[in-house]
């Protein structure tokens, strides 16, 4: 047999019902905050990602699924959603009428990472982007929306960490400061960080290796180094978060693995599987739209990791997997009943009853067994006797009680029994 590709995961029921409910909740809350859905392709030209995410980032250096298509053009399975949405925003001149636009998206992303628990090479994100507003109120409001979503979903221990990465003016100055600080400690850094020291020294700040954590714990804080404009922006974000009653903590060592972020960046973690796990991250990316060939329009966005979120919701135990309304089963006995069952079944299903049946004229015993297996609380029985009186028997599987109901009243009767809206 042919198995799936390593790192490419099937999501099966009943877990898919968690996904559906997360998506439904997200769509609902995003709509309330003025976001519309955008659907962008899964494959883009490679340059879009190398230019936006940054040539020297881990994603672009070693994690992208990049291929030559049949004409030799280099294409890449999207490793994240922001760049394609920015590309679409520019390509369709969405800024033309009004630079302000709010989009959300959901779907698969692809990164060639080492597969491990909860981490796949095809993974899924729900993300959102706000274009056209550099006001810190947007940063705060979007964070408030995200935290509310997680609270509604019943995630435990939701915690928001924020940082400012400065801007194109002040970040290079901080970089200098950091390089000066690291200069005589370079040989004590891990292999990765020794490489990062040359190309992207800020990444040493969020290295997880204990030696690097110890060294950088004494590093100068970026929050002390940002310019007046960035400082002011960050102060306002904090103020607005407080006004929205959103708790947060500062983490000046949080840098994101994507080059386009400036000013506000954040990460949201939640409790589960014995530790705090990141479920969403993002930040401000003023300048990205311009870098990709559009006008100078600011942006702010985030992405939620769906696999991680689904895992935490299951682990939190708060989440009841909803396999839907318990089915009604119809036992059909004989050819005549079979023929008249089609109309009845169609009618009930179209009225919202989740109705299951068996096929191939099996014995009543076999059909009842199937009903039991499916967890049916009510079974309709349609045989020659019932047909003769234009009725159907309804059996309550819990009490064993059975009653005859005329065919034209079955829908109404089921409505009172299972509470569907007919
Ligand atoms: Zn600045
Ligand atoms: Zn390191």
């Amino acid at each position: 047999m042919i198995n799936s590709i390593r790192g490419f995961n099937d999501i099966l029921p009943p877990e898919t019902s968690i996904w559906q409910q997360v998506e439904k909740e997200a769509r609902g809350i995003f709509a309330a905050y003025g976001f519309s859905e955008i659907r962008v392709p899964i494959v883009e030209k490679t340059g879009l990602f190398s230019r936006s995410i940054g040539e020297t980032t881990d994603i672009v250096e070693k994690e992208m699924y990049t291929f030559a298509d049949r004409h030799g053009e280099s294409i890449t399975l999207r490793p994240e959603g922001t760049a394609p949405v920015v590309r679409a925003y520019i390509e369709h001149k969405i800024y033309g009428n009004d630079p302000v636009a709010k989009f959300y998206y959901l779907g698969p992303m692809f990164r060639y990472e080492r597969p491990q628990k909860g981490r796949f090479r095809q993974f899924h994100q729900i993300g959102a982007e706000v274009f056209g507003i550099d006001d810190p109120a947007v940063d705060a409001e979007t964070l408030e929306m995200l935290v509310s979503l997680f609270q509604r979903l019943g995630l435990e221990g939701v915690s928001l960490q924020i940082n400012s990465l400065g801007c194109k003016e002040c970040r290079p100055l901080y970089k200098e400061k950091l390089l000066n600080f690291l200069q005589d400690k370079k040989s004590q850094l891990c292999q990765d960080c020794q490489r990062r020291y040359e190309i992207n020294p800020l990444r040493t700040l969020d290295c997880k290796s204990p030696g690097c954590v110890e060294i950088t714990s004494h590093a100068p804080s970026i929050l002390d180094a940002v310019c007046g404009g960035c400082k002011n922006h960050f102060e306002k974000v904090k103020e607005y978060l407080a006004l929205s009653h959103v708790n947060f903590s500062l983490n000046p060592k949080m840098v994101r693995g994507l080059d386009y972020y400036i000013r506000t960046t954040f990460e949201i973690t939640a409790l589960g599987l014995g530790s705090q796990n990141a479920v969403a991250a993002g930040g401000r990316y003023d300048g990205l739209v311009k870098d990709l060939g559009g006008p100078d329009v600011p942006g702010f966005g985030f992405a939620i990791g769906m696999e991680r979120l689904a895992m935490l919701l299951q682990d939190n135990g708060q989440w009841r997997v909803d396999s839907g309304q318990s089915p009604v089963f119809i036992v059909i006995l004989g050819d005549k009943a079979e023929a008249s069952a089609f109309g009845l079944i169609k009618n009930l299903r179209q009225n919202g009853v989740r109705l299951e049946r068996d096929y191939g004229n099996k014995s009543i015993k076999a059909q009842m067994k199937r009903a039991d297996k499916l967890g049916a609380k009510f079974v309709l029985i349609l045989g020659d006797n019932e047909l003769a009186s234009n009725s159907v028997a309804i059996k309550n599987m819990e009490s064993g009680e059975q009653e005859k109901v005329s065919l034209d009243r079955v829908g109404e009767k089921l409505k009172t029994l299972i509470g569907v809206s007919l």
Side-chain angles (χ1 to χ4, degrees):
M1 74 156 289
I2 299 171
N3 289 322
S4 68
I5 302 167
R6 192 165 130 88
F8 288 68
N9 186 35
D10 299 308
I11 305 153
L12 307 174
E15 201 195 330
T16 41
S17 80
I18 295 184
W19 286 60
Q20 288 174 344
Q21 286 174 59
V22 169
E23 287 163 6
K24 191 177 159 197
E25 202 71 60
R27 286 177 190 279
I29 198 162
F30 293 170
Y33 282 73
F35 289 79
S36 313
E37 184 178 1
I38 186 168
R39 300 192 185 196
V40 289
I42 283 169
V43 188
E44 299 273 0
K45 292 179 184 165
T46 301
L48 175 67
F49 300 112
S50 46
R51 261 175 72 186
S52 57
I53 298 169
E55 296 280 3
T56 60
T57 55
D58 286 353
I59 297 176
V60 172
E61 274 188 339
K62 50 192 182 192
E63 294 170 0
M64 292 208 302
Y65 273 90
T66 298
F67 310 90
D69 74 3
R70 286 173 185 276
H71 288 99
E73 177 162 29
S74 180
I75 58 173
T76 294
L77 297 181
R78 61 183 189 193
E80 57 102 49
T82 300
V85 173
V86 171
R87 196 249 331 121
Y89 177 79
I90 298 168
E91 188 167 337
H92 301 284
K93 297 191 172 58
I94 294 169
Y95 51 83
N97 295 329
D98 180 0
V100 177
K102 298 180 180 180
F103 295 115
Y104 75 88
Y105 58 84
L106 32 93
M109 308 290 158
F110 305 85
R111 288 184 203 172
Y112 198 84
E113 289 185 277
R114 212 186 144 79
Q116 45 181 290
K117 193 170 163 55
R119 179 171 294 180
F120 303 98
R121 289 176 173 173
Q122 174 176 327
F123 58 101
H124 297 76
Q125 289 185 337
I126 298 182
E129 317 290 347
V130 182
F131 295 107
I133 315 166
D134 60 9
D135 194 302
V138 159
D139 311 34
E141 192 180 83
T142 310
L143 290 173
E144 180 230 309
M145 173 177 85
L146 249 185
V147 170
S148 305
L149 171 64
F150 291 141
Q151 284 168 344
R152 274 195 204 202
L153 290 170
L155 261 193
E156 282 177 359
V158 175
S159 152
L160 166 65
Q161 293 193 336
I162 58 172
N163 189 23
S164 175
L165 290 180
C167 64
K168 282 187 174 138
E169 271 76 56
C170 58
R171 186 154 57 196
L173 300 176
Y174 174 69
K175 216 170 178 176
E176 277 307 307
K177 262 191 183 172
L178 185 62
L179 283 173
N180 279 338
F181 168 80
L182 290 172
Q183 204 169 30
D184 56 339
K185 304 167 187 74
K186 195 182 156 190
S187 61
Q188 301 158 48
L189 294 170
C190 76
Q191 290 278 308
D192 273 343
C193 285
Q194 295 202 14
R195 205 171 46 87
R196 285 172 184 147
Y197 177 86
E198 308 294 342
I199 52 174
N200 199 349
L202 263 66
R203 291 302 312 274
T204 59
L205 292 174
D206 68 355
C207 178
K208 300 285 181 281
S209 106
C212 297
V213 171
E214 166 57 23
I215 290 167
T216 57
S217 68
H218 307 291
S221 165
I222 191 163
L223 291 177
D224 298 329
V226 295
C227 69
C230 289
K231 190 161 268 175
N232 200 22
H233 185 96
F234 197 55
E235 286 307 314
K236 286 284 179 201
V237 171
K238 291 191 282 182
E239 190 184 322
Y240 296 152
L241 283 173
L243 287 169
S244 315
H245 305 286
V246 174
N247 293 326
F248 61 89
S249 54
L250 300 182
N251 180 359
K253 290 180 74 180
M254 182 179 62
V255 294
R256 308 234 38 90
L258 304 102
D259 279 356
Y260 52 64
Y261 286 123
I262 67 149
R263 293 193 165 169
T264 318
T265 52
F266 71 92
E267 189 171 287
I268 296 180
T269 59
L271 195 62
L273 309 163
S275 58
Q276 284 294 122
N277 296 266
V279 282
R284 182 159 279 287
Y285 52 80
D286 306 351
L288 179 58
V289 176
K290 194 176 175 204
D291 286 349
L292 289 177
D296 194 3
V297 169
F300 185 89
F302 65 80
I304 300 169
M306 278 295 289
E307 276 78 4
R308 191 73 67 83
L309 178 58
M311 228 164 64
L312 293 180
L313 286 171
Q314 270 174 307
D315 185 65
N316 269 344
Q318 293 238 348
W319 199 262
R320 244 177 292 280
V321 171
D322 177 16
S323 53
Q325 143 211 357
S326 117
V328 174
F329 195 88
I330 182 162
V331 169
I332 305 161
L333 301 167
D335 291 340
K336 261 188 173 163
E338 170 92 37
S340 69
F342 275 94
L344 175 66
I345 290 172
K346 177 179 174 184
N347 184 267
L348 290 173
R349 282 176 172 165
Q350 295 205 344
N351 280 295
V353 178
R354 189 179 149 202
L355 191 70
E356 293 291 345
R357 55 163 294 180
D358 215 339
Y359 302 89
N361 248 325
K362 300 211 177 85
S363 70
I364 185 165
K365 197 178 158 200
Q367 291 189 56
M368 290 302 276
K369 211 170 154 188
R370 178 93 191 129
D372 222 33
K373 197 167 181 192
L374 292 173
K377 292 204 169 80
F378 297 95
V379 172
L380 308 181
I381 301 163
L382 189 63
D384 288 342
N385 281 344
E386 288 78 19
L387 272 184
S389 59
N390 232 352
S391 64
V392 64
I394 301 185
K395 181 172 183 175
N396 182 326
M397 296 291 276
E398 265 161 26
S399 65
E401 280 168 35
Q402 191 167 318
E403 63 175 309
K404 253 189 180 183
V405 177
S406 72
L407 278 176
D408 55 357
R409 288 196 53 244
V410 182
E412 208 180 305
K413 181 70 188 174
L414 281 174
K415 180 183 171 177
T416 59
L417 290 174
I418 60 176
V420 296
S421 47
L422 297 181

